[in-house]
Amino acid sequence: MEDFKLYIDGQWVDTEEKAEVLDKYSMEPYASVPQASEKEVDQAVKAAEDAYNEGPLPPYERFKILKKVSELMQERKEDLALTITKEAGKPLKQARTEIDRATQTVELSAEEAKRISGEGVPVEASPGSENRMAFTIRVPVGVVGAISPFNFPMNLVCHKIAPAIAAGNAVVLKPASKTPVTALKLASLFHEAGLRKGLFNVVIGSGSTVGNQMMQDERISLYTFTGSSKVGLKLKQNTGMNKLILELGNNSPVIIDKHADIDKAAENTAAKSYAFAGQTCISVQRLYVHEEVKKEFENKFIQALKKLKVGDPNDPDTDVGPMIGEKEAEAAVEWIEEAKSGGATVLHGGTRKGALLEPTVLTDVDESMKVVSEEVFAPVVSILSFSNLKEGVKEVNKSKYGLQGGIFTQNVNNAFYAARNVQVGGFMVNDSSQYRVDLMPYGGVKESGWGKEGPKYTIEDMTEERLVVMNLDDPS
Amino acid sequence: MEDFKLYIDGQWVDTEEKAEVLDKYSMEPYASVPQASEKEVDQAVKAAEDAYNEGPLPPYERFKILKKVSELMQERKEDLALTITKEAGKPLKQARTEIDRATQTVELSAEEAKRISGEGVPVEASPGSENRMAFTIRVPVGVVGAISPFNFPMNLVCHKIAPAIAAGNAVVLKPASKTPVTALKLASLFHEAGLRKGLFNVVIGSGSTVGNQMMQDERISLYTFTGSSKVGLKLKQNTGMNKLILELGNNSPVIIDKHADIDKAAENTAAKSYAFAGQTCISVQRLYVHEEVKKEFENKFIQALKKLKVGDPNDPDTDVGPMIGEKEAEAAVEWIEEAKSGGATVLHGGTRKGALLEPTVLTDVDESMKVVSEEVFAPVVSILSFSNLKEGVKEVNKSKYGLQGGIFTQNVNNAFYAARNVQVGGFMVNDSSQYRVDLMPYGGVKESGWGKEGPKYTIEDMTEERLVVMNLDDPS
Amino acid sequence: MEDFKLYIDGQWVDTEEKAEVLDKYSMEPYASVPQASEKEVDQAVKAAEDAYNEGPLPPYERFKILKKVSELMQERKEDLALTITKEAGKPLKQARTEIDRATQTVELSAEEAKRISGEGVPVEASPGSENRMAFTIRVPVGVVGAISPFNFPMNLVCHKIAPAIAAGNAVVLKPASKTPVTALKLASLFHEAGLRKGLFNVVIGSGSTVGNQMMQDERISLYTFTGSSKVGLKLKQNTGMNKLILELGNNSPVIIDKHADIDKAAENTAAKSYAFAGQTCISVQRLYVHEEVKKEFENKFIQALKKLKVGDPNDPDTDVGPMIGEKEAEAAVEWIEEAKSGGATVLHGGTRKGALLEPTVLTDVDESMKVVSEEVFAPVVSILSFSNLKEGVKEVNKSKYGLQGGIFTQNVNNAFYAARNVQVGGFMVNDSSQYRVDLMPYGGVKESGWGKEGPKYTIEDMTEERLVVMNLDDPS
Amino acid sequence: MEDFKLYIDGQWVDTEEKAEVLDKYSMEPYASVPQASEKEVDQAVKAAEDAYNEGPLPPYERFKILKKVSELMQERKEDLALTITKEAGKPLKQARTEIDRATQTVELSAEEAKRISGEGVPVEASPGSENRMAFTIRVPVGVVGAISPFNFPMNLVCHKIAPAIAAGNAVVLKPASKTPVTALKLASLFHEAGLRKGLFNVVIGSGSTVGNQMMQDERISLYTFTGSSKVGLKLKQNTGMNKLILELGNNSPVIIDKHADIDKAAENTAAKSYAFAGQTCISVQRLYVHEEVKKEFENKFIQALKKLKVGDPNDPDTDVGPMIGEKEAEAAVEWIEEAKSGGATVLHGGTRKGALLEPTVLTDVDESMKVVSEEVFAPVVSILSFSNLKEGVKEVNKSKYGLQGGIFTQNVNNAFYAARNVQVGGFMVNDSSQYRVDLMPYGGVKESGWGKEGPKYTIEDMTEERLVVMNLDDPS
């Protein structure tokens, strides 16, 4: 069992209190990590504040360090992927993909560090301001407090840390307490790449202690968080006038139109519904299928789903592995049972073995059931139907969430009708809600969040745009 | 005494409970307005929601209506200016300027209604996404709840309503309870311009009743507020995951560098410190003067200030009129007294007659005094000194606020050093913090607020940007 | 018969030599205009240069004048439309539409005058430039020489003059010699709106005299021209390193896919092929129809075309009037005959009466025929067929032109395949090549031109973007 | 003596005719290169056209190849720098800098390949277009013909090739006949990095043969050229309606204001006037010095200039080496003599030894002299004076050129007055005209050129922006 340390002010710091990290498939402890007390959190924030106050690294320096980190990430790819598989239970092939994507995230952030700039503002076009000129500049916000989830222990951390560094900020990160090792390994890459001490710090602990302390620290200027809507709201309410980036829950909808290519739609949605056991913010949860094609779609969907390999995440062929914990799997089964007792039919799956929940398909469901209206975050999909696209879109929009969605259709008018009317942050035509590439703007509406991820967009959120107006006189 | 009505769903609505609006100079009632009860607030929000759900007006229609309102505003300029002078006690010439600026605000919003668009997103540059293309679209947020202050009863209302309409939203406005009449007159202009019923509604009442009810109404998607940092924070904490635009307090700093043209600096800052009795978010409050020029500056500042005409706001020559209420003037005097007992010297003013507080200049002050560290919102200016620009900037940045600031200097390096390092949303070179034209981005950092005003920028905040990704196949 | 004068330096100037302007339907003279000699052209350019050198009008002043012109244009709409019908032979309802569109062009230019600005350039992100900052500013180019065509005597003049004025330039206009009166009436609107003398000048004469003289005048900084590719090329070759905006020929293609709604496609293309007797740069000339739907489309197209009213342009119901001259109509018939002798079949039309050419449809045509490969600029449409969309697009792209094109299809993949592969400046999905609104970027590739029209885009072309780099030192 | 080959269609191609490349310091031949005949030029263009027609490389592939080239460039830095020193006679330290800058150019182009996208166009804001939506896409132009100069045999080649590849185009390059070896070595880096055959081809020969043939080849869509204004004009006149990027001559001005820091100004301008023997488009040629500081500046300038080490470019300490040929040095001396006979005083230098011309300073000069009005392209600087900044700027603007310029001043108003009024593409405050970093937009006005360099900007010029308008119906 390997021992890890916190990373504070460029040092590896040990503490008295420790926690074990479980292998999520065997449920055996496989690593030990220190738990930060109030002291270490304070040190980390102070280190960040001091590092920030020294003045920002030059943009080209930020570029070089982030570029180096992205290269190191590819060099250590296999080790990092195995770490994810161990501590998150994510199937290995998906873990490898995550490292590739994280590499992109850091590489893009590196490049964006060289592209931060303001714009002209034509104040001279205002009556009485003829002799003036104005432009904006972008300045870093200061210390960023980052709190990250278990489901992408590397890439969602990178989406927070890399843009923060690229923008000229300092960061304190609290990774998910179930998956802290990947984050510590990332810190070691930054260390190796030569990042100035204090600009990136990692503290480990629960949300109720470390998270709460961070939330109340006035030296932090911006919080970036991915997680539940409940905790997101708490952050909004308890961090004064600080800036926020919140990526929260979703119950992602995909529409199957009567003009769809049903084979492709079934194949695609089956794969995108169960990746990482449905534990991603945008895995397909609600399928709205046109009644004329519902039967056909259901059959093909179940056929496709049966091809998925379920089981040991260490097996490189596995598609669907365990959930993050047995408790979580139990809760999902409870929601399935609740739906069944409300009239739902289980078309496939519905049973679990430990943390391993079979890919599950429900139908005859409605909005009153949690599997439809709440974020299930498990390999559970519900099929609903509609008879007319406008009505279908209205149904989709009843959700309190709005992160991403999609439609399958060959018809250009239907595609654009849905794109313009489904209330989400991102909408896919002939693809599932689960599509994400790291350069794109990503973020939800309604209770799904605030602000955008994607390095270019996060950097905008992690800098202040200041207007400078010159009141110009004649030359002398 | 004229009687006014609420404006709900395109109708003028009366209520049982009434409130009197005082002439702020004579302190006599001059108008009577209805007070909205829970029922009217609910009706207003429902009217807005229904109007929004009918679908947005076409952009060119929004343009035409707003353009018409801007023209009507100029036609009724004198009446509207007199209304402001009456209910806000604002000197008539400043009230006229406010109508001209509000006209600009509405005209710019009209034009921006035709300029709402998204942008391309190069998802095809991500490995594996070669066959895709993507772009964003901007969609209205829904119902906007607007809460506006007394100090610009027309222009700060227009900065909320006009962009909201331009963006395709519906609005419920609660104007300041001391200055509701101007807002109702604005509603009548929209009515006359032919705005579809329900898209703009005005309810009147106190923050603790009407404001609170609006804050809890889940049908409202975005709140836009100008006022105190305290109330702003309350809104952030109590409006779920709703979007926010908050324009809050400031204690605006201006630096007088040793390289400044002292005559111009004195003349300019004296005028900009006392306009509308210091009751604007960006009126000069803290003057940081280089020690080498401090004496000279003080003399010239007081000379300039003595030229200001103080008194009846109805007199078209008056520069400085009464504060919004006697209570507010008393509070300002208390803060002056507190400063004096802490060692401050009064260089000019310091006394009041009713709501009329003499333009006041203090020196020998420090950060422990409220006149320096809090927003005084009265005709009270403090002069501090510094011996070195870098140190001066550090002092300036100790404030918890950061709306706007300025520097007077002829030196190009000093001008840019200050512009790049003073922590504010807007910074003026050779001008006071008080510079604002309505097309520019306006908004603060730290406790001064969230989001930006200026029609183009507010429209961005009042729309959601949705990503649409097309997964494209070969043609068939 | 009304007499008109040139407009030079704010004065109405007469000359000895005169030319008659014909009513294009009756072919009777209806107005007399002076012909500019070398002297008047020189005066006009000098007036423009002097006016420019006085310094640009403030942006808000430009806005106000252009706004006023757009309002006057609506006030005089009927007179202006009748002028176009008279001197261009354009059907009255299309002439009225032209005035409405010209109003938009001027109004948009007015608004864009307030939106000219540069952008930040992050030079500090280059190694060694850490202490620098940079931004761009936009400055007017100087004197603009505008040469405009007969087919939109008002709107295509406005697309040149209004952005030039909005950008802060001075202009010398030579309108088409067959339609000079509309341009002079436009000049009178600018005069009435109070434009400073010299900023807009109109000279009249032939391309071979006045045009040539303008081409050689070194005081002109930018030429903007709409007309034939031949003259466009001559301008490029003979104007030194001057800037150019050239809107030249096209033989506009529209694809009718097998997935199209054939009724809509036929209705739309029939109307868009013959408007103003096919004398617009983007009227449909080549129809590429999928072989499976060719017969159906042909029948419906001819049915739709038979509903068009042909004849006297003064009749408000007329859809298709005379061509600009009998010579031009003769030339079109010659091309039709050439095609017939090469094997083409005339499905409809093909005969003329004076300048009035019947709406004509050809099939069995190929690229070797002028009606296909050259710009016909007459009410003549050719129908070609294809068996596979990829091949169809290849055929379309064989043209030397590339202004605008379109496709009719309900299929989303086919729509985007065509949009991404047809080589044109603008491509319409489920609409004809002829779609244009005045705010959009408009301009072709290949031999169809250089630069873009649309006020926002033309202003970019009519200003220079200058980079300003500040090398900043420590404050002193 | 090393033998090199042409690079066509991914092959190294030999020809019968050869030319020797001279070591520009020893004037001994040091390499032999093939001369392309008509056949090889035709093959190269055909290879490019075919490669383009295969369809563009995916953007991420372009990124990877260009990134690899930038890395190889750093690996081979010393060899490449020595090649430049040999064939261009450029001092070694400047040659090393050139490789570093070229690395930046290629790296930036790599990154920009992932950032090509269009924008939304709000056509729905036009009356009658409410049901439409529109956006633009960017498509490559096709085959690019690149013709490059001797003075930056690597970096100015990279500014053409790298953005062309990044944009998805194919290129045929004709490097300067005096410095072809560096270009061939660059081709070998692209070859090694795995660029698809045909996308980059190098042919060698004189402008009058190879250049002319390229100019007439209709398969080339865009020409990019750096060189004399005379040849640039010829390209404009002889390339049909093809697109152009032309970086031409300049006689770069720098203003020394009376508010300048004279020490810094003298030090800086002395270094920037003579780098690479004044043979860069933006080396300082005209110094406009305020009369009050002229004597002081002259003294300090000459003092600074005396510190420059003149001589063998292979010596790593050399600042000023030989000119590109003896003929060119002779011509410069002739111009100096012409100036002297017109009354000019030589403050320093004026004599040559072979191709080595001493750094030369003239004063008492005027515009009638070639050293002032033409591009001297030699280590020759003229000092002029002015008594008032506005007048000084007028003098500066009399030039027919307008690439870059600068001012030294501490005064903010003077700095901005000059920046807003000097007619150039780029203007430096407290720096010389010679400032360039590769990310910035670079290009002149007046006879200094067309279009902009800098990867981001060149990619805009090397792509077409196509508007796509969707005419949308109700869903079905």
Side-chain angles (χ1 to χ4, degrees), chain B residues 248-285:
Chain B
L248 311 176
N250 200 32
N251 53 355
S252 310
V254 174
I255 297 170
I256 315 293
D257 186 30
K258 68 179 172 195
H259 300 290
D261 177 329
I262 302 295
D263 291 299
K264 284 196 184 174
E267 197 92 25
N268 181 308
T269 51
K272 301 294 179 62
S273 298
Y274 303 111
F276 194 31
Q279 296 172 118
T280 79
C281 306
I282 47 177
S283 44
V284 184
Q285 180 174 339

Side-chain angles (χ1 to χ4, degrees), chain B residues 286-299:
Chain B
R286 296 179 290 151
L287 283 162
Y288 288 84
V289 188
H290 193 281
E291 57 187 16
E292 290 178 20
V293 297
K294 183 163 182 266
K295 265 279 141 295
E296 181 189 355
F297 176 80
E298 280 177 6
N299 292 337

Side-chain angles (χ1 to χ4, degrees), chain B residues 415-451:
Chain B
F416 276 83
Y417 179 82
R420 296 172 94 178
N421 288 286
V422 174
Q423 294 161 357
V424 286
F427 192 76
M428 313 301 142
V429 172
N430 289 320
D431 212 339
S432 287
S433 53
Q434 212 206 10
Y435 178 78
R436 181 178 184 188
V437 293
D438 300 280
L439 63 77
M440 82 190 205
Y442 175 83
V445 298
K446 298 202 258 187
E447 297 190 17
S448 289
W450 282 62

Side-chain angles (χ1 to χ4, degrees), chain C residues 342-457:
Chain C
T345 307
V346 178
L347 294 178
H348 188 271
T351 60
R352 77 177 177 88
K353 213 174 97 185
L356 202 62
L357 177 61
E358 242 185 320
T360 299
V361 191
L362 303 173
T363 191
D364 304 326
V365 293
D366 62 50
E367 261 182 277
S368 71
M369 301 170 184
K370 287 209 197 74
V371 289
V372 172
S373 62
E374 301 292 327
E375 178 173 40
V376 64
F377 224 65
V380 179
V381 171
S382 290
I383 298 183
L384 302 101
S385 77
F386 67 92
S387 57
N388 160 302
L389 186 59
K390 284 192 181 184
E391 291 308 312
V393 167
K394 268 191 199 155
E395 287 303 306
V396 166
N397 284 341
K398 283 183 179 164
S399 171
K400 64 187 170 189
Y401 295 114
L403 188 46
Q404 293 201 155
I407 188 172
F408 283 84
T409 185
Q410 299 291 302
N411 183 281
V412 67
N413 293 316
N414 290 17
F416 276 83
Y417 179 82
R420 297 172 94 178
N421 288 286
V422 174
Q423 295 161 357
V424 287
F427 193 77
M428 312 303 140
V429 172
N430 287 321
D431 212 337
S432 287
S433 53
Q434 213 205 12
Y435 178 78
R436 181 178 183 187
V437 293
D438 299 280
L439 63 78
M440 82 188 204
Y442 176 82
V445 299
K446 299 201 259 186
E447 295 190 19
S448 288
W450 282 62
K452 295 278 183 192
E453 288 199 341
K456 175 178 156 188
Y457 308 92

